[in-house]
Amino acid sequence: QVQLVESGGGSEQAGGSLRLSCAVSHLTISDYGLGWFRRAPGGQRDFIAAITDDGSATYYGDSWKGRFSISRDNAKNTFYLQMNSVKPEDTGRYHCAATRSDPRAGALYDYWGQGTQVTVTS
């Protein structure tokens, strides 16, 4: 059974940094586009970032461009979200996901993790 498990969430002060990890099992991530999403406190799901299967391209939601960075380590079957200069409005539950298709915003993702909570305080 495919599993995506997020880690690295927690509470951080505004302006600080966090690094989220998504460890994947029973799926070879080199065959998949990968993405990060945020479920805001109001329930809306936002596209944060994605990376293609070969790592040649990355995509970011406007609110996170320039502050967050997605990367992957195929050897570890793990991918990451580096979060810098975090803001209180970044608060939410962060989910990682994998897709066989183009991973940019609007894509249909096949597998999802349960999420990790990120809280940014002012």
Side-chain angles (χ1 to χ4, degrees):
Q1 182 177 355
V2 174
Q3 281 192 315
L4 284 74
V5 180
E6 301 90 342
S7 61
S11 184
E12 180 60 63
Q13 288 189 328
S17 296
L18 286 167
R19 189 192 194 207
L20 305 185
S21 299
C22 181
V24 183
S25 56
H26 304 291
L27 178 153
T28 302
I29 67 168
S30 58
D31 296 331
Y32 285 78
L34 306 168
W36 286 96
F37 295 81
R38 188 272 305 268
R39 180 78 67 179
Q44 175 183 337
R45 188 177 73 189
D46 299 310
F47 168 81
I48 299 174
I51 186 168
T52 53
D53 54 0
D54 62 0
S56 64
T58 55
Y59 309 100
Y60 294 92
D62 288 343
S63 298
W64 296 279
K65 200 174 298 183
R67 297 189 298 123
F68 289 13
S69 177
I70 187 171
S71 61
R72 61 192 299 156
D73 186 336
N74 289 346
K76 294 183 179 179
N77 227 40
T78 300
F79 61 110
Y80 308 94
L81 183 69
Q82 178 66 42
M83 307 169 62
N84 297 329
S85 303
V86 296
K87 304 175 181 180
E89 50 264 45
D90 295 328
T91 293
R93 191 160 186 87
Y94 283 66
H95 297 264
C96 61
T99 177
R100 277 283 196 179
S101 60
D102 186 320
R104 69 187 77 196
L108 181 65
Y109 277 73
D110 303 294
Y111 302 101
W112 292 83
Q114 292 297 308
T116 185
Q117 180 66 31
V118 170
T119 302
V120 182
T121 58
S122 57

